[in-house]
Each structure stands twice: as C-alpha cells, then as structure tokens.
Amino acid sequence: MTVSPNANQIMLNITAVERDTRIGKDALRVWERRYGFPQPVRDANGERLYPADQVEKLRVIKRLLDAGHRPGRIVALELGELHRMGEELRDSDVPMSTGAKASAHQTTETRDIIDLLKTHDPAQIRRRFSQTIMRTGLAPFVLNVALPLMHEIGEAWASGELHIFEEHLCSEVLETSLRSAMAAAPEAAAGSRPRVLLSTFPGESHSLGLLMAEVMFQVDGCACMSLGAQTPLQDLVNASRAHRADIVAVSFSAASNPGQAAEGLGELRSLLDPDIELWAGSPHTLLHRRGVPDVTLLASLEQIPMEIQRWRACH
C-alpha cells in the first residue's frame, strides 16, 4: 500500500528498523510475507516504512527470540501477549548466552553499571570498566561482566527501561575500554601459535562480539590480526596467507541470517588453504544444528580456550 506518511507519526525505513531492533532485513521481509507482520506502509518510491508501534513490537519479539522462542510461534501474537511472555521470561531462571548463570555479585555489578549508564557520563563508565578489568582480569571481565551486562542491557532496552542511544553508548565505551586493556597487555611471544585472523563477513557490522573473541584469543597467547568488520571473502583469503594464519575466526550477531551465514562459510572454506581452520561464532541454534562441513562452530566465547587447547594438541 502506497501512502503519504503522516507528518506527526514517526516512521522508520527498513535500514533504521534493522539497526534499531537488530532484526535483519531478510527476516523482516519473510515475516511480512509468512506471518502478516510487520505491516509496513510504502512511500511514493515503494520503500517500506514502519510505524513506531510496530517497531516496539519487533523489539519485544527480538528479546523473545534471543531467549529461544521461534518466530513462527510469536511473530503473529498481539503485543500484550508478547509482553506477558516477556514478564514470565524475566521472572524465570534463564541461562545467559555464555552458558552460565550470573551470580548475585555479577548481577549487582551489571545493575550498578546500568544505573551508571543512565547518568550519560562516558568517563565514569570507562573508569568503572577499567577498575573492574584490573580487579578481575581481562578474560573473566569479558565472560562474567561484559557478556551478562550486554544481555541485561538488551532486556532493559526491550522493556523500555533504556533508550537505544544508551545501549550504543555502553557498546562504544566498552569497546574503547577493551581496546585500551588489550593494548596494555603483554604481546604474544615471537612464534606464538596459533596465528589467528579475525573479521566479520560483508553486511555484518556488529563488531563487539568479534572484539571479545579477540580478547579470549589474546589472553590465551595467540598471535592475532583483526581486520575489523565486513571484510570481503577474497580479502580474508589474501590476509590469511599474508598473516600465515592457522585459524580464520569470523563472528555473526543475532541479526545475521543463518542460511546466508552457512552459505558464506561454505564458500570461504572452499577458498581457504586446506591447512587453515575456519572457526565461526554464532548464536543461531539452526546453524549449529545443521553444521557446516569442515567449519568449527562456536556457540559461546567460553569454548575458545578449549578449542585452542584442542588445536595445540593436534599441532
């Protein structure tokens, strides 16, 4: 349906909705066709525009998807029912993405940081991160503070407790703090192995998970080269040869399409030299269930030290 959007109504295009909700464009289009939601209007150029109330519902859907619900069971539900499911989820004892439940201390730590985040003072947040890293160590900070924090911030954002700009602020300050801590840490010894090349695929702009993975590799004594986000596949191949990489590690966020991820991993595997392992971190259970031939799939950062140990035992 082509309409002239109401000037008083906030409308977001599909790119803005993807960025706001962390739901991929492909998923939005498929849900529209398969489940009848969302129901965007079209502008004069035929581009999709999403009203604010639909974006709010998509945020709640995203939170439930992250908790393990399937799109076919929740996308068509009314917002009130979705909120009810969200309340049940909040009251239940749901494991975090790291595979471990937060202790009372960790919960207090993350809640304190969320309260600090609401002051909108990046310097204070940065000091808190730096102090916690010095107290706990870099890898424990990632596993026991940063990951639970981002999980709780996602819940607070989905429930309306936090604004999207506050989530972005936390991500930016966290990234800066991790990079500073990594720069101050001892460098890998000459000849350290495995040599690891890290990046994300084109279209995958979420790089915080990639940075956390780099922390885990670096702490374990690996020689790392990170290309940042969105590296074309052939450039990954060229860089793997230049870096003499033993492992190419790529990261996928929940906003990625698992089918496209599997296809891209299969293509990259065929392009890489046979003696280079390909590792992929992804939250998608579908991708892990189906698997990708000759690709090591990681569901959590906690698996990285175990896989490094396995690699070293074989080499």
Side-chain angles (χ1 to χ4, degrees):
M1 178 175 63
T2 302
V3 300
S4 297
N6 187 329
N8 296 321
Q9 186 179 26
I10 298 175
M11 307 286 283
L12 299 181
N13 63 28
I14 194 169
T15 299
V17 172
E18 179 183 46
R19 184 172 58 248
D20 190 301
T21 64
R22 308 293 174 87
I23 299 173
K25 296 176 185 177
D26 290 339
L28 292 171
R29 296 187 186 103
V30 169
W31 294 356
E32 177 186 339
R33 182 175 66 252
R34 185 174 298 172
Y35 308 123
F37 182 85
Q39 296 176 324
V41 297
R42 303 276 184 158
D43 64 13
N45 297 318
E47 298 296 329
R48 290 174 170 83
L49 295 176
Y50 298 79
D53 59 341
Q54 294 189 29
V55 178
E56 178 189 358
K57 179 177 174 180
L58 287 168
R59 290 172 183 154
V60 181
I61 289 172
K62 177 61 169 64
R63 178 169 173 261
L64 293 172
L65 291 176
D66 289 345
H69 290 277
R70 296 181 180 180
R73 298 181 63 87
I74 64 174
V75 171
L77 297 178
E78 295 295 327
L79 182 59
E81 177 65 14
L82 294 172
H83 277 306
R84 185 190 64 76
M85 295 172 67
E87 290 296 328
E88 292 177 353
L89 179 64
R90 186 179 298 114
D91 295 337
S92 64
D93 194 13
V94 180
M96 293 190 176
S97 58
T98 59
K101 298 172 185 175
S103 67
H105 171 72
Q106 291 167 357
T107 301
T108 301
E109 179 86 32
T110 55
R111 289 308 309 179
D112 286 348
I113 295 173
I114 289 176
D115 290 339
L116 190 59
L117 184 62
K118 295 175 183 177
T119 68
H120 307 150
D121 188 338
Q124 284 196 59
I125 303 167
R126 192 176 298 111
R127 281 195 294 272
R128 180 61 176 264
F129 284 154
S130 297
Q131 292 166 357
T132 307
I133 290 171
M134 291 180 64
R135 186 177 72 251
T136 66
L138 196 47
F141 171 80
V142 166
L143 295 176
N144 301 326
V145 178
L147 280 172
L149 173 64
M150 297 312 295
H151 175 87
E152 289 199 27
I153 283 179
E155 288 195 342
W157 164 71
S159 66
E161 181 184 352
L162 290 177
H163 297 287
I164 186 67
F165 80 85
E166 291 168 321
E167 183 197 20
H168 289 178
L169 172 63
C170 187
S171 297
E172 287 299 316
V173 177
L174 178 58
E175 183 169 335
T176 300
S177 300
L178 288 175
R179 291 193 184 282
S180 296
M182 291 169 67
E187 294 185 4
S192 294
R193 294 182 70 190
R195 299 175 61 85
V196 184
L197 178 72
L198 299 102
S199 187
T200 71
F201 279 5
E204 177 58 80
S205 61
H206 301 110
S207 59
L208 184 57
L210 183 73
L211 181 60
M212 291 184 185
E214 185 180 358
V215 167
M216 301 303 294
F217 281 112
Q218 179 177 306
V219 168
D220 222 305
C222 302
C224 297
M225 174 188 285
S226 177
L227 303 181
Q230 304 195 71
T231 303
L233 299 193
Q234 188 57 55
D235 287 334
L236 280 172
V237 174
N238 294 339
S240 71
R241 292 167 181 164
H243 184 52
R244 292 178 286 111
D246 300 302
I247 299 165
V248 172
V250 294
S251 173
F252 297 95
S253 70
S256 63
N257 181 296
Q260 292 178 352
E263 182 179 347
L265 288 170
E267 181 179 356
L268 179 58
R269 177 65 275 174
S270 69
L271 295 172
L272 288 172
D273 295 343
D275 58 337
I276 298 176
E277 292 196 13
L278 177 56
W279 296 9
S282 169
H284 294 294
T285 56
L286 178 62
L287 186 62
H288 290 273
R289 187 163 61 246
R290 292 181 177 177
V292 181
D294 298 319
V295 176
T296 299
L297 296 173
L298 307 177
S300 75
L301 295 177
E302 290 174 323
Q303 292 178 250
I304 289 177
M306 294 181 287
E307 289 297 331
I308 292 173
Q309 184 178 8
R310 188 265 309 163
W311 185 93
R312 286 174 173 154
C314 293
H315 295 81

